Amino acid sequence: MQRNEFALTSENRPQTDTGIIIEKSVLDYLDTNSYSNEILDEYEKSIKHKTLFLIALFSAIILIGLIAITIGPLDISISDTYKIIVSHIFPSASLAPDTLTDNTIWQVRLPRVVAGIFVGFALAISGAVMQPGLKNPMASPFTLGVSAAAGFGASLAIALGASFRMASISVIVYAFVVSMLSVMVILLISKMKNSMPEVIILTGIALSYLFNAGTTMLQYFVDPIYTKQMVFWMSGSLYKGNWENVAYICPVVIVLSIFLIIKSKDLNSISSGDETAKSIGINVERTRLITLVISTIITATVVSFMGTIGFIGLVAPHIVRMVIGADNRFVVIGSGFAGAILLVLSDIVAMNIIAPVTLPIGVITSIMGVPLFLYLILKTRKGG
């Protein structure tokens, strides 16, 4: 090919802000006197910008988490708060104040904040994977009916007489099992239709309506006391964020999130089209189903413990994409960080907006999420 036959124009020049990633090896084929240096510079600047954004998000998680620990109905000074944390990390320090203050920080506030970080991360990273995998910007764990299925499972456990304590194992098990049953139905139908994204989304919506109807029917027939318990669980809350539940949630979220982050590069190719992805050796159907199952397991795990918390998995990925583009290698982990920030901030609002009453966090995320999502829709470029 002659040099003048490969002139890069504004129409065919590779873009660095889309899901199609320009690998540096490709640039070796470009003439150094043409646009290769310019493209390489743009690529490196783009990577640097995205990396700095992730670092900023991670720093914000730490800062907001530390602030959240100091906020609550019981007035505890910042110095006492961090003395307690240090004394538990380094027992020989002997810095802890009185027992009430120590229990408030170490047994209530800190595990609640840690739970908020991991739950927000899990919900957001699941949405960030589902949206490019299913090629639908409205895809999220709740679009696919995971939330509705967990709600029905928990409501069924309550209706059958389960003791509705915050750590009630029966409620958790029922919510998780029914969630996974809904995923099995989706996978079975999608397999019959060759894993078409439209089929997966429509099946999830249909199941969501079915499970919501089942939950409503249970609420209609059971004792009003049980109905109140169901509604509270469906609203979601970090009140169940104790060290015992955190110990179950964290390993699942960490291990499965690492897998999704590794798979994020394949999602870039799938976002460019199934045929494009297949042409470079990616098994599109298998990748789509595996990422769907993994993200659903993460969601089912956290929802089973904390109840249904909406909008985090839908809004967080869009916020990140508006800032750094659609490169899923960065969007997936960035969405997790953004989701953690949004959920911890929502919990701060839920605990303090009408203190000492603590509102269900699912209510706050919905109130905050709807106007934010409408704003994102209005700000999105035409055809974006």
Side-chain angles (χ1 to χ4, degrees):
M1 179 181 295
Q2 299 298 321
R3 180 181 303 174
N4 59 4
E5 292 177 345
F6 197 76
L8 294 177
T9 66
S10 60
E11 295 180 355
N12 60 21
R13 184 186 303 180
Q15 301 294 314
T16 60
D17 60 346
T18 65
I20 303 176
I21 307 306
I22 302 176
E23 300 292 346
K24 290 185 178 181
S25 59
V26 176
L27 301 177
D28 295 336
Y29 293 95
L30 302 179
D31 192 286
T32 57
N33 295 324
S34 60
Y35 292 94
S36 59
N37 290 333
E38 178 186 346
I39 296 174
L40 182 58
D41 289 341
E42 291 180 359
Y43 177 82
E44 292 178 345
K45 288 179 181 178
S46 174
I47 296 298
K48 182 179 180 180
H49 167 69
K50 294 168 184 176
T51 303
L52 290 175
F53 179 70
L54 294 184
I55 294 174
L57 285 178
F58 184 76
S59 302
I61 292 175
I62 297 175
L63 178 61
I64 294 172
L66 292 174
I67 293 173
I69 297 171
T70 65
I71 300 175
L74 185 61
D75 187 16
I76 303 175
S77 67
I78 296 176
S79 61
D80 284 347
T81 298
Y82 297 126
K83 282 180 181 178
I84 292 169
I85 296 175
V86 172
S87 68
H88 281 275
I89 297 176
F90 304 102
S92 59
S94 300
L95 300 172
D98 61 273
T99 304
L100 175 61
T101 304
D102 181 86
N103 288 336
T104 301
I105 297 298
W106 188 256
Q107 298 296 337
V108 179
R109 293 187 187 177
L110 184 58
R112 185 185 183 112
V113 170
V114 173
I117 291 173
F118 278 92
V119 171
F121 187 96
L123 295 174
I125 199 173
S126 297
V129 168
M130 288 181 179
Q131 287 165 10
L134 299 177
K135 294 185 289 187
N136 190 319
M138 298 301 293
S140 74
F142 299 92
T143 307
L144 294 183
V146 178
S147 159
F152 175 76
S155 298
L156 183 61
I158 295 169
L160 292 176
S163 175
F164 188 67
R165 295 168 299 165
M166 293 308 166
S168 176
I169 189 65
S170 56
V171 173
I172 294 170
V173 170
Y174 272 65
F176 183 82
V177 169
V178 177
S179 296
M180 297 314 299
L181 286 176
S182 70
V183 176
M184 291 176 62
V185 173
I186 292 175
L187 293 179
L188 178 62
I189 295 177
S190 65
K191 198 68 176 177
M192 296 170 58
K193 294 294 183 178
N194 298 320
S195 303
M196 294 177 61
E198 298 84 357
V199 173
I200 295 175
I201 290 290
L202 292 175
T203 304
I205 293 174
L207 290 176
S208 181
Y209 278 106
L210 176 64
F211 287 121
N212 283 331
T215 301
T216 302
M217 183 177 296
L218 288 174
Q219 293 174 354
Y220 185 81
F221 285 107
V222 300
D223 188 276
I225 296 177
Y226 289 153
T227 300
K228 183 178 180 179
Q229 295 173 355
M230 293 177 188
V231 172
F232 181 81
W233 193 94
M234 293 289 291
S235 299
S237 174
L238 292 182
Y239 182 72
K240 293 161 280 189
N242 52 52
W243 288 124
E244 181 181 0
N245 289 342
V246 167
Y248 287 108
I249 292 173
C250 289
V252 176
V253 173
I254 292 172
V255 173
L256 298 185
S257 294
I258 291 174
F259 176 83
L260 293 179
I261 292 170
I262 293 173
K263 281 290 184 181
S264 61
K265 187 175 181 179
D266 291 344
L267 295 176
N268 282 331
S269 301
I270 294 176
S271 299
S272 304
D274 288 4
E275 295 303 321
T276 301
K278 290 177 181 178
S279 68
I280 59 175
I282 295 176
N283 189 323
V284 175
E285 289 79 12
R286 185 175 64 183
T287 300
R288 179 175 289 132
L289 291 178
I290 289 176
T291 54
L292 174 63
V293 170
I294 297 300
S295 58
T296 302
I297 291 175
I298 295 178
T299 302
T301 300
V302 299
V303 168
S304 298
F305 281 91
M306 302 299 170
T308 57
I309 302 173
F311 270 98
I312 298 295
L314 185 62
V315 174
H318 287 291
I319 293 175
V320 174
R321 289 192 186 96
M322 288 187 68
V323 178
I324 62 174
D327 185 348
N328 289 298
R329 296 177 303 174
F330 296 90
V331 169
V332 170
I333 189 170
S335 298
F337 291 160
I341 293 171
L342 288 174
L343 194 57
V344 173
L345 288 175
S346 299
D347 191 46
I348 293 175
V349 174
M351 288 192 299
N352 295 279
I353 191 170
I354 54 173
V357 177
T358 300
L359 293 176
I361 196 171
V363 175
I364 302 299
T365 56
S366 297
I367 292 174
M368 294 175 60
V370 170
L372 179 58
F373 192 63
L374 292 176
Y375 171 78
L376 293 175
I377 293 174
L378 295 175
K379 292 293 289 185
T380 300
R381 294 175 300 176
K382 183 179 180 180

